[in-house]
Amino acid sequence: YQRRVHGAFLLRMKLNIALPRTGSQKKIDEEDERKLRAFFDKRISEEVEGDSLGEEFRGYVFKIMGGNDMQGFPMKQGVITADRVRLLLNKGSTCYRQKRTGTRRKKSVRGCIVSPQISVLNLAIVKEGPAPLEGLTDRSLPLRLGPKRANHIRKLFALPKGTDVRPHVIPRKFEKKGKTQTKRTRIQRLITPERLQHKRHRFCLKRKAIKTAKEARANWVKLTEERHKSERASEHHKRRTESLKEDKAPAAAKPAVAKAKAPAPVAKAPAKVAKAASKKA
């Protein structure tokens, strides 16, 4: 950052240099603008050679990890500017921690481009030079807490896949009531015979549940078909009965009609009497 002294602006920046291999860290206060020019206009995650910082850093390569400006606002990856901006941040965003579910907040952040407004710059050593650095390469800080996950332990000790990681857990020693006690972390995602048996048991229960569900559905389908079949049979019987009733109903409903009797035969008169009657007429 720039500070004004007797009418003139002086540039000053703190460099936090870390060496991941040993876990050590060192802070350097730099006020020479010529040495800091190599970092200007660089973005986060870019690599910068350390020759500009002096002869002791010749051959070293640094990676920009982040930083803060004079007011304490952090640099945010992905904001392609050197100025300070206000962004609406939500859960999962860097530079913001959600305290209530679903909330968002506008916060001021600094862009990912290094500028003279940056007061603290975090660097990580990617490549080491021939000369050792006091406070970085000459000491090694042991891990107080080692990794917990099984794959992370294998990665730390370069163990092949399937190796038992329990002997490689980093213990932690502490004093309690005048006695030295040792504590080991509980390994996460450790594959043991008991865990494999539990997994097989879960799959067995799942297969049984699927089989039971299939049998229940088959029984339900069968019962439904039988029910529909009986309903169709009863409906057919009902229609058949009604049709037979309709066929028999007209014959029984007709009123009985008495047959007309034939007229009695008339006796014929003798032929002589008939002739006489015709003559009189």
Side-chain angles (χ1 to χ4, degrees):
Y1 66 95
Q2 293 179 345
R3 61 192 181 110
R4 191 167 183 175
V5 179
H6 301 294
F9 288 96
L10 299 179
L11 185 65
R12 183 180 181 183
M13 186 179 295
K14 295 180 181 180
L15 303 178
N16 290 330
I17 304 175
L19 183 59
R21 180 178 60 83
T22 60
S24 56
Q25 188 173 349
K26 185 177 181 180
K27 184 185 71 172
I28 299 176
D29 290 336
E30 191 61 57
E31 296 183 359
D32 191 351
E33 183 179 356
R34 292 175 297 178
K35 295 182 179 181
L36 297 175
R37 285 176 184 173
F39 298 97
F40 292 161
D41 297 331
K42 300 290 185 181
R43 299 182 183 179
I44 294 178
S45 73
E46 285 192 11
E47 296 182 358
V48 182
E49 295 183 358
D51 298 348
S52 61
L53 295 179
E55 290 296 329
E56 56 178 340
F57 295 101
R58 184 172 299 278
Y60 284 83
V61 178
F62 302 109
K63 182 178 180 180
I64 302 176
M65 306 300 293
N68 298 77
D69 59 6
M70 188 173 59
Q71 287 76 25
F73 293 101
M75 299 175 64
K76 182 174 174 59
Q77 178 70 291
V79 183
I80 314 300
T81 181
D83 300 327
R84 189 191 307 166
V85 295
R86 285 180 63 84
L87 301 177
L88 184 63
L89 305 178
N90 54 7
K91 182 180 179 180
S93 303
T94 56
C95 307
Y96 173 66
R97 184 181 63 179
Q98 189 184 69
K99 296 182 179 180
R100 294 182 61 185
T101 303
T103 57
R104 297 183 298 172
R105 188 177 177 184
K106 261 195 171 184
K107 297 197 69 176
S108 296
V109 294
R110 178 69 64 171
C112 66
I113 300 177
V114 181
S115 65
Q117 284 76 28
I118 299 299
S119 63
V120 180
L121 194 63
N122 303 324
L123 305 175
I125 297 177
V126 179
K127 180 181 177 182
E128 300 183 27
L133 295 177
E134 183 181 357
L136 285 175
T137 58
D138 58 350
R139 65 171 183 170
S140 178
L141 299 178
L143 291 176
R144 177 182 173 272
L145 299 176
K148 296 181 65 176
R149 192 179 300 180
N151 286 338
H152 291 178
I153 297 174
R154 293 190 184 97
K155 183 179 180 181
L156 179 64
F157 294 98
L159 301 175
K161 186 177 180 181
T163 307
D164 188 9
V165 298
R166 283 175 287 186
H168 300 276
V169 177
I170 298 176
R172 180 170 64 92
K173 296 182 179 181
F174 58 94
E175 297 288 338
K176 185 176 182 180
K177 296 181 180 180
K179 296 182 180 180
T180 303
Q181 298 185 5
T182 304
K183 192 173 184 179
R184 294 176 180 269
T185 184
R186 182 179 179 182
I187 303 174
Q188 304 293 326
R189 302 186 185 181
L190 182 63
I191 306 300
T192 59
E194 291 81 4
R195 182 165 182 175
L196 294 176
Q197 175 60 28
H198 293 165
K199 186 176 181 180
R200 289 193 295 267
H201 181 62
R202 288 197 306 270
F203 278 111
C204 182
L205 294 178
K206 186 179 291 186
R207 286 193 296 268
K208 287 183 179 179
I210 293 173
K211 184 179 179 181
T212 304
K214 286 183 178 180
E215 292 177 355
R217 173 150 184 92
N219 295 335
W220 178 80
V221 171
K222 184 178 179 180
L223 181 62
T224 306
E225 289 179 355
E226 292 178 356
R227 189 173 297 172
H228 290 172
K229 187 176 180 180
S230 62
E231 290 177 358
R232 288 194 298 268
S234 62
E235 187 70 21
H236 177 70
H237 178 70
K238 184 178 179 181
R239 289 198 301 268
R240 180 66 177 169
T241 305
E242 291 178 355
S243 64
L244 291 176
K245 286 181 179 180
E246 290 177 358
D247 292 342
K248 294 179 180 180
K254 285 181 179 179
V257 180
K259 293 183 179 180
K261 293 183 179 181
V266 180
K268 292 183 179 181
K272 290 183 180 182
V273 175
K275 286 182 180 181
S278 62
K279 283 181 180 181
K280 287 179 180 182

